[in-house]
PDB file of all heavy atoms in Angstrom:
ATOM      1  N   HIS A  64      62.150  63.227  -1.980  1.00  0.00           N
ATOM      2  CA  HIS A  64      63.566  63.109  -1.973  1.00  0.00           C
ATOM      3  C   HIS A  64      64.113  61.727  -2.206  1.00  0.00           C
ATOM      4  O   HIS A  64      65.309  61.566  -2.606  1.00  0.00           O
ATOM      5  CB  HIS A  64      64.136  63.640  -0.570  1.00  0.00           C
ATOM      6  CG  HIS A  64      63.662  65.000  -0.295  1.00  0.00           C
ATOM      7  ND1 HIS A  64      64.138  66.135  -0.833  1.00  0.00           N
ATOM      8  CD2 HIS A  64      62.650  65.418   0.498  1.00  0.00           C
ATOM      9  CE1 HIS A  64      63.502  67.245  -0.367  1.00  0.00           C
ATOM     10  NE2 HIS A  64      62.587  66.750   0.399  1.00  0.00           N
ATOM     11  N   ASP A  67      59.789  55.597  -3.910  1.00  0.00           N
ATOM     12  CA  ASP A  67      59.476  54.569  -2.978  1.00  0.00           C
ATOM     13  C   ASP A  67      60.084  53.193  -3.412  1.00  0.00           C
ATOM     14  O   ASP A  67      59.593  52.147  -2.913  1.00  0.00           O
ATOM     15  CB  ASP A  67      57.964  54.442  -2.731  1.00  0.00           C
ATOM     16  CG  ASP A  67      57.240  54.100  -4.014  1.00  0.00           C
ATOM     17  OD1 ASP A  67      57.834  53.859  -5.021  1.00  0.00           O
ATOM     18  OD2 ASP A  67      55.967  54.181  -3.972  1.00  0.00           O
ATOM     19  N   GLN A  95      80.293  53.425   5.129  1.00  0.00           N
ATOM     20  CA  GLN A  95      79.767  52.864   3.923  1.00  0.00           C
ATOM     21  C   GLN A  95      79.002  51.560   4.088  1.00  0.00           C
ATOM     22  O   GLN A  95      79.540  50.544   4.675  1.00  0.00           O
ATOM     23  CB  GLN A  95      80.959  52.624   2.986  1.00  0.00           C
ATOM     24  CG  GLN A  95      80.593  52.091   1.590  1.00  0.00           C
ATOM     25  CD  GLN A  95      81.692  52.428   0.611  1.00  0.00           C
ATOM     26  OE1 GLN A  95      81.633  53.434  -0.058  1.00  0.00           O
ATOM     27  NE2 GLN A  95      82.696  51.597   0.516  1.00  0.00           N
ATOM     28  N   ARG A 101      72.603  55.009   2.353  1.00  0.00           N
ATOM     29  CA  ARG A 101      73.365  56.159   1.780  1.00  0.00           C
ATOM     30  C   ARG A 101      72.468  57.107   1.102  1.00  0.00           C
ATOM     31  O   ARG A 101      72.784  58.328   0.955  1.00  0.00           O
ATOM     32  CB  ARG A 101      74.414  55.483   0.825  1.00  0.00           C
ATOM     33  CG  ARG A 101      75.484  54.780   1.509  1.00  0.00           C
ATOM     34  CD  ARG A 101      76.646  54.560   0.571  1.00  0.00           C
ATOM     35  NE  ARG A 101      76.792  53.141   0.234  1.00  0.00           N
ATOM     36  CZ  ARG A 101      77.594  52.692  -0.708  1.00  0.00           C
ATOM     37  NH1 ARG A 101      78.303  53.506  -1.389  1.00  0.00           N
ATOM     38  NH2 ARG A 101      77.796  51.401  -0.918  1.00  0.00           N
ATOM     39  N   GLN A 102      71.289  56.618   0.537  1.00  0.00           N
ATOM     40  CA  GLN A 102      70.406  57.651  -0.091  1.00  0.00           C
ATOM     41  C   GLN A 102      69.813  58.540   0.988  1.00  0.00           C
ATOM     42  O   GLN A 102      69.788  59.754   0.778  1.00  0.00           O
ATOM     43  CB  GLN A 102      69.138  56.904  -0.643  1.00  0.00           C
ATOM     44  CG  GLN A 102      69.470  55.986  -1.814  1.00  0.00           C
ATOM     45  CD  GLN A 102      70.280  56.615  -2.868  1.00  0.00           C
ATOM     46  OE1 GLN A 102      69.842  57.467  -3.579  1.00  0.00           O
ATOM     47  NE2 GLN A 102      71.518  56.187  -2.984  1.00  0.00           N
ATOM     48  N   GLN A 110      69.149  68.313   2.596  1.00  0.00           N
ATOM     49  CA  GLN A 110      67.873  68.886   3.016  1.00  0.00           C
ATOM     50  C   GLN A 110      67.579  69.138   4.454  1.00  0.00           C
ATOM     51  O   GLN A 110      66.670  69.824   4.795  1.00  0.00           O
ATOM     52  CB  GLN A 110      66.720  67.835   2.515  1.00  0.00           C
ATOM     53  CG  GLN A 110      66.702  67.573   1.082  1.00  0.00           C
ATOM     54  CD  GLN A 110      66.467  68.816   0.224  1.00  0.00           C
ATOM     55  OE1 GLN A 110      65.810  69.738   0.710  1.00  0.00           O
ATOM     56  NE2 GLN A 110      66.858  68.773  -1.033  1.00  0.00           N
ATOM     57  N   ASN A 123      84.354  47.102   1.700  1.00  0.00           N
ATOM     58  CA  ASN A 123      83.319  46.017   1.473  1.00  0.00           C
ATOM     59  C   ASN A 123      83.990  44.656   1.603  1.00  0.00           C
ATOM     60  O   ASN A 123      83.361  43.730   2.175  1.00  0.00           O
ATOM     61  CB  ASN A 123      82.705  46.126   0.113  1.00  0.00           C
ATOM     62  CG  ASN A 123      81.838  47.401   0.018  1.00  0.00           C
ATOM     63  OD1 ASN A 123      81.014  47.716   0.825  1.00  0.00           O
ATOM     64  ND2 ASN A 123      82.111  48.126  -1.091  1.00  0.00           N
ATOM     65  N   HIS A 129      93.779  43.209   3.314  1.00  0.00           N
ATOM     66  CA  HIS A 129      93.954  44.568   2.707  1.00  0.00           C
ATOM     67  C   HIS A 129      92.916  45.535   3.301  1.00  0.00           C
ATOM     68  O   HIS A 129      93.172  46.680   3.405  1.00  0.00           O
ATOM     69  CB  HIS A 129      93.846  44.535   1.245  1.00  0.00           C
ATOM     70  CG  HIS A 129      94.665  43.452   0.531  1.00  0.00           C
ATOM     71  ND1 HIS A 129      96.046  43.502   0.758  1.00  0.00           N
ATOM     72  CD2 HIS A 129      94.321  42.443  -0.190  1.00  0.00           C
ATOM     73  CE1 HIS A 129      96.508  42.383   0.064  1.00  0.00           C
ATOM     74  NE2 HIS A 129      95.452  41.711  -0.523  1.00  0.00           N
ATOM     75  N   GLU A 137      91.393  55.059   6.832  1.00  0.00           N
ATOM     76  CA  GLU A 137      90.116  55.730   6.904  1.00  0.00           C
ATOM     77  C   GLU A 137      89.867  56.288   8.328  1.00  0.00           C
ATOM     78  O   GLU A 137      89.414  57.425   8.552  1.00  0.00           O
ATOM     79  CB  GLU A 137      88.921  54.824   6.502  1.00  0.00           C
ATOM     80  CG  GLU A 137      88.711  54.629   5.086  1.00  0.00           C
ATOM     81  CD  GLU A 137      88.354  55.848   4.323  1.00  0.00           C
ATOM     82  OE1 GLU A 137      87.377  56.518   4.699  1.00  0.00           O
ATOM     83  OE2 GLU A 137      89.080  56.281   3.396  1.00  0.00           O
ATOM     84  N   PRO A 290      74.880  41.600   5.397  1.00  0.00           N
ATOM     85  CA  PRO A 290      74.953  40.822   4.102  1.00  0.00           C
ATOM     86  C   PRO A 290      75.667  41.641   2.938  1.00  0.00           C
ATOM     87  O   PRO A 290      76.185  41.088   2.100  1.00  0.00           O
ATOM     88  CB  PRO A 290      73.521  40.635   3.731  1.00  0.00           C
ATOM     89  CG  PRO A 290      72.778  40.682   4.990  1.00  0.00           C
ATOM     90  CD  PRO A 290      73.588  41.629   5.931  1.00  0.00           C
ATOM     91  N   ASP A 293      79.082  40.616   3.058  1.00  0.00           N
ATOM     92  CA  ASP A 293      79.297  39.178   3.311  1.00  0.00           C
ATOM     93  C   ASP A 293      79.675  38.426   2.064  1.00  0.00           C
ATOM     94  O   ASP A 293      78.882  37.746   1.499  1.00  0.00           O
ATOM     95  CB  ASP A 293      78.070  38.582   3.996  1.00  0.00           C
ATOM     96  CG  ASP A 293      78.411  37.317   4.666  1.00  0.00           C
ATOM     97  OD1 ASP A 293      79.577  36.823   4.617  1.00  0.00           O
ATOM     98  OD2 ASP A 293      77.525  36.626   5.241  1.00  0.00           O
ATOM     99  N   GLN A 296      86.622  35.476  -0.696  1.00  0.00           N
ATOM    100  CA  GLN A 296      87.244  34.942  -1.834  1.00  0.00           C
ATOM    101  C   GLN A 296      87.239  33.445  -1.892  1.00  0.00           C
ATOM    102  O   GLN A 296      87.104  32.789  -0.822  1.00  0.00           O
ATOM    103  CB  GLN A 296      88.689  35.458  -1.968  1.00  0.00           C
ATOM    104  CG  GLN A 296      88.869  36.953  -1.739  1.00  0.00           C
ATOM    105  CD  GLN A 296      87.976  37.799  -2.619  1.00  0.00           C
ATOM    106  OE1 GLN A 296      87.009  37.354  -3.275  1.00  0.00           O
ATOM    107  NE2 GLN A 296      88.084  39.113  -2.514  1.00  0.00           N
ATOM    108  N   GLU A 297      87.241  32.877  -3.104  1.00  0.00           N
ATOM    109  CA  GLU A 297      87.322  31.432  -3.370  1.00  0.00           C
ATOM    110  C   GLU A 297      85.906  30.801  -3.494  1.00  0.00           C
ATOM    111  O   GLU A 297      85.723  29.940  -4.240  1.00  0.00           O
ATOM    112  CB  GLU A 297      88.120  30.655  -2.306  1.00  0.00           C
ATOM    113  CG  GLU A 297      89.482  31.219  -2.051  1.00  0.00           C
ATOM    114  CD  GLU A 297      90.471  30.926  -3.135  1.00  0.00           C
ATOM    115  OE1 GLU A 297      90.304  30.041  -3.924  1.00  0.00           O
ATOM    116  OE2 GLU A 297      91.467  31.651  -3.237  1.00  0.00           O
ATOM    117  N   TRP A 299      81.319  31.066  -2.876  1.00  0.00           N
ATOM    118  CA  TRP A 299      80.133  31.829  -2.747  1.00  0.00           C
ATOM    119  C   TRP A 299      79.620  31.789  -1.322  1.00  0.00           C
ATOM    120  O   TRP A 299      78.726  32.555  -0.906  1.00  0.00           O
ATOM    121  CB  TRP A 299      78.954  31.307  -3.664  1.00  0.00           C
ATOM    122  CG  TRP A 299      78.691  29.814  -3.480  1.00  0.00           C
ATOM    123  CD1 TRP A 299      79.273  28.807  -4.184  1.00  0.00           C
ATOM    124  CD2 TRP A 299      77.837  29.195  -2.502  1.00  0.00           C
ATOM    125  NE1 TRP A 299      78.783  27.537  -3.662  1.00  0.00           N
ATOM    126  CE2 TRP A 299      77.958  27.822  -2.747  1.00  0.00           C
ATOM    127  CE3 TRP A 299      76.911  29.681  -1.530  1.00  0.00           C
ATOM    128  CZ2 TRP A 299      77.189  26.939  -1.918  1.00  0.00           C
ATOM    129  CZ3 TRP A 299      76.246  28.793  -0.764  1.00  0.00           C
ATOM    130  CH2 TRP A 299      76.326  27.436  -0.923  1.00  0.00           C
ATOM    131  N   ASP A 328      67.929  45.103  -0.535  1.00  0.00           N
ATOM    132  CA  ASP A 328      68.640  44.146  -1.451  1.00  0.00           C
ATOM    133  C   ASP A 328      69.617  43.215  -0.733  1.00  0.00           C
ATOM    134  O   ASP A 328      69.594  42.016  -1.097  1.00  0.00           O
ATOM    135  CB  ASP A 328      69.420  44.941  -2.499  1.00  0.00           C
ATOM    136  CG  ASP A 328      68.573  45.931  -3.185  1.00  0.00           C
ATOM    137  OD1 ASP A 328      68.176  46.924  -2.560  1.00  0.00           O
ATOM    138  OD2 ASP A 328      68.298  45.791  -4.405  1.00  0.00           O
ATOM    139  N   GLU A 331      67.553  40.621   0.875  1.00  0.00           N
ATOM    140  CA  GLU A 331      66.766  39.877  -0.133  1.00  0.00           C
ATOM    141  C   GLU A 331      67.667  38.918  -0.912  1.00  0.00           C
ATOM    142  O   GLU A 331      67.230  37.859  -1.312  1.00  0.00           O
ATOM    143  CB  GLU A 331      66.165  40.878  -1.056  1.00  0.00           C
ATOM    144  CG  GLU A 331      64.893  41.618  -0.461  1.00  0.00           C
ATOM    145  CD  GLU A 331      64.300  42.597  -1.386  1.00  0.00           C
ATOM    146  OE1 GLU A 331      64.896  42.972  -2.435  1.00  0.00           O
ATOM    147  OE2 GLU A 331      63.211  43.071  -1.125  1.00  0.00           O
ATOM    148  N   SER A 336      69.038  31.818   0.055  1.00  0.00           N
ATOM    149  CA  SER A 336      70.107  30.961   0.347  1.00  0.00           C
ATOM    150  C   SER A 336      70.166  30.597   1.865  1.00  0.00           C
ATOM    151  O   SER A 336      70.371  29.443   2.220  1.00  0.00           O
ATOM    152  CB  SER A 336      71.454  31.718   0.042  1.00  0.00           C
ATOM    153  OG  SER A 336      71.428  32.135  -1.261  1.00  0.00           O
ATOM    154  N   ARG A 339      67.477  28.104   2.686  1.00  0.00           N
ATOM    155  CA  ARG A 339      67.934  26.698   2.279  1.00  0.00           C
ATOM    156  C   ARG A 339      68.907  26.148   3.223  1.00  0.00           C
ATOM    157  O   ARG A 339      68.923  24.995   3.650  1.00  0.00           O
ATOM    158  CB  ARG A 339      68.458  26.759   0.852  1.00  0.00           C
ATOM    159  CG  ARG A 339      67.395  26.783  -0.255  1.00  0.00           C
ATOM    160  CD  ARG A 339      68.130  27.018  -1.578  1.00  0.00           C
ATOM    161  NE  ARG A 339      67.129  26.898  -2.664  1.00  0.00           N
ATOM    162  CZ  ARG A 339      66.311  27.848  -3.118  1.00  0.00           C
ATOM    163  NH1 ARG A 339      66.294  29.066  -2.485  1.00  0.00           N
ATOM    164  NH2 ARG A 339      65.427  27.674  -4.150  1.00  0.00           N
TER     165      ARG A 339
ATOM    166  N   TRP B  85      63.754  29.963  -7.634  1.00  0.00           N
ATOM    167  CA  TRP B  85      64.824  30.257  -6.561  1.00  0.00           C
ATOM    168  C   TRP B  85      64.260  30.855  -5.335  1.00  0.00           C
ATOM    169  O   TRP B  85      64.602  30.688  -4.256  1.00  0.00           O
ATOM    170  CB  TRP B  85      65.972  31.209  -7.181  1.00  0.00           C
ATOM    171  CG  TRP B  85      66.975  31.513  -6.190  1.00  0.00           C
ATOM    172  CD1 TRP B  85      67.220  32.750  -5.650  1.00  0.00           C
ATOM    173  CD2 TRP B  85      67.918  30.588  -5.529  1.00  0.00           C
ATOM    174  NE1 TRP B  85      68.241  32.625  -4.770  1.00  0.00           N
ATOM    175  CE2 TRP B  85      68.666  31.337  -4.665  1.00  0.00           C
ATOM    176  CE3 TRP B  85      68.137  29.157  -5.676  1.00  0.00           C
ATOM    177  CZ2 TRP B  85      69.666  30.838  -3.866  1.00  0.00           C
ATOM    178  CZ3 TRP B  85      69.127  28.652  -4.917  1.00  0.00           C
ATOM    179  CH2 TRP B  85      69.888  29.428  -4.052  1.00  0.00           C
ATOM    180  N   ASP B  90      61.502  42.715  -6.103  1.00  0.00           N
ATOM    181  CA  ASP B  90      61.980  44.093  -6.211  1.00  0.00           C
ATOM    182  C   ASP B  90      63.482  44.155  -6.282  1.00  0.00           C
ATOM    183  O   ASP B  90      64.050  45.263  -6.290  1.00  0.00           O
ATOM    184  CB  ASP B  90      61.437  44.926  -5.064  1.00  0.00           C
ATOM    185  CG  ASP B  90      61.674  44.325  -3.726  1.00  0.00           C
ATOM    186  OD1 ASP B  90      62.862  44.050  -3.356  1.00  0.00           O
ATOM    187  OD2 ASP B  90      60.699  44.142  -2.904  1.00  0.00           O
ATOM    188  N   LYS B 130      76.696  39.918  -4.544  1.00  0.00           N
ATOM    189  CA  LYS B 130      75.633  38.906  -4.344  1.00  0.00           C
ATOM    190  C   LYS B 130      75.262  38.195  -5.612  1.00  0.00           C
ATOM    191  O   LYS B 130      74.908  37.088  -5.665  1.00  0.00           O
ATOM    192  CB  LYS B 130      74.436  39.618  -3.765  1.00  0.00           C
ATOM    193  CG  LYS B 130      74.710  40.245  -2.384  1.00  0.00           C
ATOM    194  CD  LYS B 130      74.656  39.260  -1.262  1.00  0.00           C
ATOM    195  CE  LYS B 130      75.690  39.572  -0.194  1.00  0.00           C
ATOM    196  NZ  LYS B 130      75.797  38.534   0.721  1.00  0.00           N
ATOM    197  N   GLN B 133      77.476  35.339  -6.426  1.00  0.00           N
ATOM    198  CA  GLN B 133      77.382  34.392  -5.293  1.00  0.00           C
ATOM    199  C   GLN B 133      76.153  33.471  -5.573  1.00  0.00           C
ATOM    200  O   GLN B 133      76.227  32.310  -5.561  1.00  0.00           O
ATOM    201  CB  GLN B 133      77.129  35.112  -3.983  1.00  0.00           C
ATOM    202  CG  GLN B 133      78.344  35.395  -3.175  1.00  0.00           C
ATOM    203  CD  GLN B 133      78.025  36.052  -1.867  1.00  0.00           C
ATOM    204  OE1 GLN B 133      76.918  36.651  -1.693  1.00  0.00           O
ATOM    205  NE2 GLN B 133      78.959  35.989  -0.912  1.00  0.00           N
ATOM    206  N   ASP B 136      76.091  31.380  -8.825  1.00  0.00           N
ATOM    207  CA  ASP B 136      76.907  30.189  -8.724  1.00  0.00           C
ATOM    208  C   ASP B 136      76.148  29.166  -7.857  1.00  0.00           C
ATOM    209  O   ASP B 136      76.192  27.948  -8.162  1.00  0.00           O
ATOM    210  CB  ASP B 136      78.246  30.555  -8.092  1.00  0.00           C
ATOM    211  CG  ASP B 136      79.142  29.300  -7.875  1.00  0.00           C
ATOM    212  OD1 ASP B 136      79.023  28.438  -8.825  1.00  0.00           O
ATOM    213  OD2 ASP B 136      79.945  29.316  -6.953  1.00  0.00           O
ATOM    214  N   GLU B 137      75.493  29.613  -6.755  1.00  0.00           N
ATOM    215  CA  GLU B 137      74.810  28.708  -5.922  1.00  0.00           C
ATOM    216  C   GLU B 137      73.671  28.012  -6.679  1.00  0.00           C
ATOM    217  O   GLU B 137      73.532  26.749  -6.546  1.00  0.00           O
ATOM    218  CB  GLU B 137      74.197  29.529  -4.790  1.00  0.00           C
ATOM    219  CG  GLU B 137      73.981  28.801  -3.455  1.00  0.00           C
ATOM    220  CD  GLU B 137      73.417  29.682  -2.421  1.00  0.00           C
ATOM    221  OE1 GLU B 137      73.533  30.971  -2.552  1.00  0.00           O
ATOM    222  OE2 GLU B 137      72.827  29.136  -1.438  1.00  0.00           O
ATOM    223  N   GLY B 141      77.149  25.684  -7.160  1.00  0.00           N
ATOM    224  CA  GLY B 141      78.029  26.170  -6.140  1.00  0.00           C
ATOM    225  C   GLY B 141      79.487  25.650  -6.301  1.00  0.00           C
ATOM    226  O   GLY B 141      80.169  25.458  -5.281  1.00  0.00           O
ATOM    227  N   TYR B 145      85.170  31.600  -6.879  1.00  0.00           N
ATOM    228  CA  TYR B 145      84.654  32.983  -6.870  1.00  0.00           C
ATOM    229  C   TYR B 145      85.670  34.013  -6.351  1.00  0.00           C
ATOM    230  O   TYR B 145      86.304  33.743  -5.359  1.00  0.00           O
ATOM    231  CB  TYR B 145      83.420  32.884  -5.933  1.00  0.00           C
ATOM    232  CG  TYR B 145      82.776  34.241  -5.605  1.00  0.00           C
ATOM    233  CD1 TYR B 145      81.588  34.653  -6.206  1.00  0.00           C
ATOM    234  CD2 TYR B 145      83.257  34.956  -4.531  1.00  0.00           C
ATOM    235  CE1 TYR B 145      80.996  35.846  -5.851  1.00  0.00           C
ATOM    236  CE2 TYR B 145      82.612  36.199  -4.219  1.00  0.00           C
ATOM    237  CZ  TYR B 145      81.441  36.580  -4.837  1.00  0.00           C
ATOM    238  OH  TYR B 145      80.800  37.759  -4.478  1.00  0.00           O
ATOM    239  N   CYS B 147      85.875  38.319  -5.671  1.00  0.00           N
ATOM    240  CA  CYS B 147      85.199  39.609  -5.821  1.00  0.00           C
ATOM    241  C   CYS B 147      86.066  40.698  -5.170  1.00  0.00           C
ATOM    242  O   CYS B 147      86.366  40.535  -4.005  1.00  0.00           O
ATOM    243  CB  CYS B 147      83.874  39.491  -5.134  1.00  0.00           C
ATOM    244  SG  CYS B 147      82.861  41.054  -5.246  1.00  0.00           S
ATOM    245  N   ASP B 149      86.868  44.801  -4.180  1.00  0.00           N
ATOM    246  CA  ASP B 149      86.125  45.944  -3.672  1.00  0.00           C
ATOM    247  C   ASP B 149      86.703  47.200  -4.283  1.00  0.00           C
ATOM    248  O   ASP B 149      87.930  47.474  -4.209  1.00  0.00           O
ATOM    249  CB  ASP B 149      86.283  45.918  -2.114  1.00  0.00           C
ATOM    250  CG  ASP B 149      85.741  47.142  -1.482  1.00  0.00           C
ATOM    251  OD1 ASP B 149      84.885  47.810  -2.083  1.00  0.00           O
ATOM    252  OD2 ASP B 149      86.081  47.343  -0.245  1.00  0.00           O
ATOM    253  N   GLY B 151      84.919  50.146  -3.714  1.00  0.00           N
ATOM    254  CA  GLY B 151      84.179  51.267  -3.031  1.00  0.00           C
ATOM    255  C   GLY B 151      85.178  52.039  -2.091  1.00  0.00           C
ATOM    256  O   GLY B 151      85.017  51.917  -0.869  1.00  0.00           O
ATOM    257  N   ARG B 161      96.580  55.687  -1.067  1.00  0.00           N
ATOM    258  CA  ARG B 161      96.037  54.637  -0.203  1.00  0.00           C
ATOM    259  C   ARG B 161      94.879  53.886  -0.905  1.00  0.00           C
ATOM    260  O   ARG B 161      94.716  52.712  -0.718  1.00  0.00           O
ATOM    261  CB  ARG B 161      95.524  55.362   1.071  1.00  0.00           C
ATOM    262  CG  ARG B 161      95.039  54.419   2.128  1.00  0.00           C
ATOM    263  CD  ARG B 161      94.873  55.144   3.469  1.00  0.00           C
ATOM    264  NE  ARG B 161      93.857  56.194   3.412  1.00  0.00           N
ATOM    265  CZ  ARG B 161      92.526  55.988   3.447  1.00  0.00           C
ATOM    266  NH1 ARG B 161      92.036  54.799   3.644  1.00  0.00           N
ATOM    267  NH2 ARG B 161      91.738  56.983   3.442  1.00  0.00           N
ATOM    268  N   ASP B 172      96.035  39.609  -5.548  1.00  0.00           N
ATOM    269  CA  ASP B 172      95.377  38.431  -5.047  1.00  0.00           C
ATOM    270  C   ASP B 172      94.595  37.753  -6.136  1.00  0.00           C
ATOM    271  O   ASP B 172      94.511  36.528  -6.274  1.00  0.00           O
ATOM    272  CB  ASP B 172      94.474  38.736  -3.846  1.00  0.00           C
ATOM    273  CG  ASP B 172      95.208  39.077  -2.581  1.00  0.00           C
ATOM    274  OD1 ASP B 172      96.410  38.993  -2.539  1.00  0.00           O
ATOM    275  OD2 ASP B 172      94.603  39.547  -1.628  1.00  0.00           O
ATOM    276  N   ARG B 179      95.761  30.111 -10.081  1.00  0.00           N
ATOM    277  CA  ARG B 179      95.722  28.829  -9.320  1.00  0.00           C
ATOM    278  C   ARG B 179      94.493  28.004  -9.856  1.00  0.00           C
ATOM    279  O   ARG B 179      94.568  26.749 -10.049  1.00  0.00           O
ATOM    280  CB  ARG B 179      95.523  29.165  -7.874  1.00  0.00           C
ATOM    281  CG  ARG B 179      95.709  27.913  -6.966  1.00  0.00           C
ATOM    282  CD  ARG B 179      95.663  28.189  -5.446  1.00  0.00           C
ATOM    283  NE  ARG B 179      94.413  28.696  -4.993  1.00  0.00           N
ATOM    284  CZ  ARG B 179      94.171  29.948  -4.759  1.00  0.00           C
ATOM    285  NH1 ARG B 179      95.152  30.883  -4.844  1.00  0.00           N
ATOM    286  NH2 ARG B 179      93.004  30.479  -4.324  1.00  0.00           N
ATOM    287  N   PHE B 351      77.767  57.146  -5.671  1.00  0.00           N
ATOM    288  CA  PHE B 351      77.720  56.185  -4.576  1.00  0.00           C
ATOM    289  C   PHE B 351      78.127  56.846  -3.271  1.00  0.00           C
ATOM    290  O   PHE B 351      77.955  56.255  -2.186  1.00  0.00           O
ATOM    291  CB  PHE B 351      78.675  54.997  -4.842  1.00  0.00           C
ATOM    292  CG  PHE B 351      78.055  54.066  -5.831  1.00  0.00           C
ATOM    293  CD1 PHE B 351      78.295  54.163  -7.257  1.00  0.00           C
ATOM    294  CD2 PHE B 351      77.241  52.967  -5.435  1.00  0.00           C
ATOM    295  CE1 PHE B 351      77.751  53.254  -8.127  1.00  0.00           C
ATOM    296  CE2 PHE B 351      76.731  52.032  -6.410  1.00  0.00           C
ATOM    297  CZ  PHE B 351      76.974  52.232  -7.768  1.00  0.00           C
ATOM    298  N   GLU B 382      69.185  50.041  -8.336  1.00  0.00           N
ATOM    299  CA  GLU B 382      69.408  51.049  -7.334  1.00  0.00           C
ATOM    300  C   GLU B 382      70.679  51.830  -7.536  1.00  0.00           C
ATOM    301  O   GLU B 382      70.881  52.916  -7.173  1.00  0.00           O
ATOM    302  CB  GLU B 382      69.431  50.416  -5.941  1.00  0.00           C
ATOM    303  CG  GLU B 382      70.435  49.386  -5.702  1.00  0.00           C
ATOM    304  CD  GLU B 382      70.449  48.796  -4.296  1.00  0.00           C
ATOM    305  OE1 GLU B 382      69.357  48.460  -3.905  1.00  0.00           O
ATOM    306  OE2 GLU B 382      71.442  48.736  -3.676  1.00  0.00           O
ATOM    307  N   HIS B 387      69.814  58.908  -5.872  1.00  0.00           N
ATOM    308  CA  HIS B 387      69.637  60.351  -5.719  1.00  0.00           C
ATOM    309  C   HIS B 387      68.825  61.005  -6.786  1.00  0.00           C
ATOM    310  O   HIS B 387      69.036  62.184  -7.094  1.00  0.00           O
ATOM    311  CB  HIS B 387      71.029  61.065  -5.592  1.00  0.00           C
ATOM    312  CG  HIS B 387      71.908  60.388  -4.551  1.00  0.00           C
ATOM    313  ND1 HIS B 387      71.603  60.250  -3.263  1.00  0.00           N
ATOM    314  CD2 HIS B 387      73.082  59.822  -4.819  1.00  0.00           C
ATOM    315  CE1 HIS B 387      72.575  59.571  -2.673  1.00  0.00           C
ATOM    316  NE2 HIS B 387      73.543  59.284  -3.572  1.00  0.00           N
ATOM    317  N   GLN B 390      66.663  63.906  -5.713  1.00  0.00           N
ATOM    318  CA  GLN B 390      67.483  65.119  -5.343  1.00  0.00           C
ATOM    319  C   GLN B 390      67.885  65.774  -6.641  1.00  0.00           C
ATOM    320  O   GLN B 390      68.014  66.983  -6.688  1.00  0.00           O
ATOM    321  CB  GLN B 390      68.690  64.709  -4.515  1.00  0.00           C
ATOM    322  CG  GLN B 390      68.396  64.230  -3.131  1.00  0.00           C
ATOM    323  CD  GLN B 390      67.657  65.375  -2.355  1.00  0.00           C
ATOM    324  OE1 GLN B 390      66.641  65.135  -1.779  1.00  0.00           O
ATOM    325  NE2 GLN B 390      68.168  66.591  -2.375  1.00  0.00           N
TER     326      GLN B 390
END
Side-chain angles (χ1 to χ4, degrees):
Chain A
H64 308 282
D67 62 8
Q95 183 157 269
R101 286 195 249 171
Q102 298 310 291
Q110 302 295 339
N123 295 311
H129 312 301
E137 280 297 304
D293 197 0
Q296 310 310 7
E297 309 287 338
W299 54 269
D328 308 67
E331 285 179 345
S336 308
R339 282 172 171 82
Chain B
W85 179 247
D90 52 55
K130 299 280 144 191
Q133 263 184 340
D136 181 31
E137 205 179 343
Y145 172 99
C147 183
D149 176 16
R161 184 167 64 80
D172 288 353
R179 190 175 66 255
F351 283 91
E382 61 179 47
H387 312 299
Q390 289 303 128

